[in-house]
Amino acid sequence: MALFGSQRDAKFLASINSELINSIIDTEIEFFKLDIRTSNSNIYGESESKSYYDSILIPCLVTKNEKTSNMDDYGHTYKRDAQFALSRDILEKADFYPEVGDIVFWDNEYYELDNVDSNQYFVGKNPDTWPNGQQHGYSVSIICNAHATRLTAQQIRNIRSGGNNDTPAYRF
């Protein structure tokens, strides 16, 4: 039986983690959850037009990679990857779990989730699979890997209509 790593130690870590993410770092992303029921798909499960639920704000840690640009016959494009680390406790309180295909808006860019992984455990023990019971270990976070995507393909905001002169982009 391990001396450290009990549920009491895990809850202490979770409280420090929550205070650090919410009060000190204070970085929030806007999350758009994919609505599979209203997205029209073909027999292969592919969809040209996707539907999303209203967005929610979730605090997290963000690691954004550098842009890599590409010039081809269709014009100039760029690629950027990012990683979003979300606290499992915050997600449980929000009753939310990210999935592949969801959209994140951060730093004026839209990212589509490519991979969602939850393999960071306190003292290296997964309480659901550890053979000595659920008294030790704690699942700390969920890591989401994403790539920058074009807004037109996602149809989250209607950018093909006329502009609004009251938006901050039009103010001088």
Side-chain angles (χ1 to χ4, degrees), residues 19-30:
E19 183 178 351
L20 179 69
I21 290 174
N22 289 320
S23 301
I24 298 172
I25 296 172
D26 194 28
T27 299
E28 290 182 325
I29 57 174
E30 191 174 0

Side-chain angles (χ1 to χ4, degrees), residues 90-111:
I90 293 171
L91 293 176
E92 285 178 359
K93 288 177 186 173
D95 193 27
F96 181 81
Y97 189 82
E99 295 176 315
V100 172
D102 292 345
I103 300 293
V104 170
F105 180 70
W106 185 75
D107 196 21
N108 210 25
E109 290 181 313
Y110 288 87
Y111 295 90

